[in-house]
Amino acid sequence: MEENCIFCKIARGDISSATLYEDEDFRVILDLGPASKGHALILPKKHAANLFELPDETAQKALVLAKRIGGTLKEGLHADGLNLVQNNGAAAGQTVDHFHIHLIPRYQGDTVNVKWQPGELGEEDKEEILKLFR
């Protein structure tokens, strides 16, 4: 736990939250600034600033938990879809340096915006990226 991390304080219960689920590794809470009805956050209890600091085992558990909690939200709130959003770094929209996953139920015609304009994969970019994995 990081002393000054707001999500660490919430995860350990120092700050009250609308908790949907809790186990030894995670706390799942309703977001105080929801993008849609049912917007929740999955918070690991052990601090990691982002995905790249998160232990693999915790990352695996987080995705399984997202599937379970997201399914309950989607079905129970009669949502038409669900976004899983996980930002890493300020340039990617991360505002709290504690790994977390947003579960955002989606409803036909809602105003939530998690979209981008598709670009084109150029040959030079493709080759550069492919070389990273060879």
Side-chain angles (χ1 to χ4, degrees), residues 93-110:
Q94 185 177 14
T95 59
V96 178
D97 288 332
H98 181 112
F99 172 88
H100 56 287
I101 299 174
H102 293 263
L103 303 170
I104 305 173
R106 299 300 304 272
Y107 305 92
Q108 201 65 41
D110 68 24

Side-chain angles (χ1 to χ4, degrees), residues 14 57 60 65 80 93 108 120 127:
D14 293 348
E57 181 180 344
Q60 292 169 351
L65 184 58
D80 299 307
Q108 201 65 41
E120 289 188 29
E127 287 305 316

Side-chain angles (χ1 to χ4, degrees), residues 70-89:
T72 299
L73 289 168
K74 185 178 179 297
E75 183 178 324
L77 296 175
H78 309 289
D80 299 307
L82 181 93
N83 285 117
L84 295 182
V85 178
Q86 201 287 302
N87 304 316
N88 296 280

Side-chain angles (χ1 to χ4, degrees), residues 36-96:
S36 70
K37 181 179 179 180
H39 181 171
L41 301 174
I42 297 176
L43 307 176
K45 290 186 174 179
K46 289 187 179 177
H47 184 83
N50 55 51
L51 177 65
F52 308 108
E53 292 184 9
L54 195 68
D56 289 349
E57 181 180 344
T58 306
Q60 292 169 351
K61 289 179 180 179
L63 189 56
V64 171
L65 184 58
K67 178 182 176 186
R68 184 168 16 131
I69 300 295
T72 299
L73 289 168
K74 185 178 179 297
E75 183 178 324
L77 296 175
H78 309 289
D80 299 307
L82 181 93
N83 285 117
L84 295 182
V85 178
Q86 201 287 302
N87 304 316
N88 296 280
Q94 185 177 14
T95 59
V96 178

